């Protein structure tokens, strides 16, 4: 969580997948008896003791924060600070930065990328999940559906929902 000068606050949280590949960024996990070793208190401690002291008192800025996190970690796989600690910090910073700019987060990202306009993305939908965490022997991780030809985000969403239920 980041508390802003006006008393409002934002937060960032990071989900974790069941199966992770060897080339994925490293999560910082507790690896002890608590929560079968899957707890993230070590990641929270990294945020509290290493990351936060570097950021407290600064105006939230996504780009400078992300660059500082990369430099502070110093590894290609994020194994020093932990990708989960870094990403949660980045997400909270994005939300704080957008808040002080009076923008939605997607608008701020579009602005930082120097896009002339920002719209909702074309949606992709996971219809069937396979891979290591799925029952059976489905070798493919995800079967995605793309509603090509939909004229709006709403019609795209409706087409996918109808297909899924059929």
């Amino acid at each position: 969580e980041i508390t802003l000068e006006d008393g409002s606050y934002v937060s960032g949280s990071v989900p974790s997948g069941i199966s992770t590949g060897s080339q994925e960024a490293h999560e910082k996990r507790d690896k002890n008896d608590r929560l079968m070793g899957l707890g993230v208190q070590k990641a929270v401690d990294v945020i509290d003791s290493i990351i936060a002291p570097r950021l407290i008192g600064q105006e939230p800025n996504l780009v400078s924060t992300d660059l500082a996190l990369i430099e502070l970690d110093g590894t290609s796989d994020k194994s020093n600070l932990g990708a989960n600690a870094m990403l949660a910090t980045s997400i909270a910073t994005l939300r704080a930065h957008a808040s002080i700019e009076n923008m939605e987060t997607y608008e701020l990202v579009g602005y930082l990328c120097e896009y002339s306009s920002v719209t909702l993305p074309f949606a992709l939908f996971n219809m069937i999940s396979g891979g290591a965490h799925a029952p059976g022997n489905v070798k493919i991780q995800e079967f995605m559906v793309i509603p090509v030809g939909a004229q709006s985000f709403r019609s795209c969403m409706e087409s996918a929902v109808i297909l899924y239920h059929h």
Side-chain angles (χ1 to χ4, degrees):
E1 292 183 353
I2 297 175
T3 303
L4 302 173
E5 286 182 354
D6 66 1
S8 64
Y9 73 93
V10 295
S11 63
S13 61
V14 183
S16 178
I18 294 172
S19 61
T20 55
S22 62
Q23 299 300 311
E24 290 185 40
H26 178 78
E27 288 183 312
K28 189 160 289 293
R29 294 297 186 129
D30 297 343
K31 298 180 182 171
N32 58 18
D33 292 337
R34 182 179 161 272
L35 298 173
M36 299 169 284
L38 299 176
V40 293
Q41 189 57 52
K42 286 183 180 179
V44 172
D45 292 344
V46 163
I47 293 170
D48 289 343
S49 64
I50 299 172
I51 297 173
R54 182 134 179 208
L55 301 178
I56 289 174
Q58 295 182 27
E59 186 165 313
N61 181 288
L62 179 64
V63 174
S64 62
T65 296
D66 282 354
L67 291 172
L69 290 171
I70 291 166
E71 179 185 329
L72 194 57
D73 179 76
T75 67
S76 61
D77 65 357
K78 313 301 182 252
S79 58
N80 186 21
L81 297 177
N84 46 352
M86 293 172 70
L87 186 55
T89 301
S90 180
I91 291 168
T93 301
L94 167 63
R95 290 177 175 156
H97 188 167
S99 177
I100 64 171
E101 297 291 342
N102 200 25
M103 300 172 104
E104 296 292 332
T105 55
Y106 71 88
E107 292 173 317
L108 177 62
V109 170
Y111 171 78
L112 293 173
C113 293
E114 300 180 350
Y115 294 144
S116 58
S117 66
V118 180
T119 61
L120 285 171
F122 200 85
L124 306 172
F125 300 91
N126 181 13
M127 290 289 161
I128 302 171
S129 293
H133 58 278
N137 194 21
V138 181
K139 300 285 187 206
I140 297 174
Q141 183 72 31
E142 295 176 340
F143 291 82
M144 304 292 289
V145 170
I146 307 170
V148 175
Q151 298 302 307
S152 67
F153 186 86
R154 181 182 187 139
S155 65
C156 182
M157 177 64 80
E158 289 175 358
S159 296
V161 169
I162 289 168
L163 177 61
Y164 178 80
H165 286 288
H166 281 288

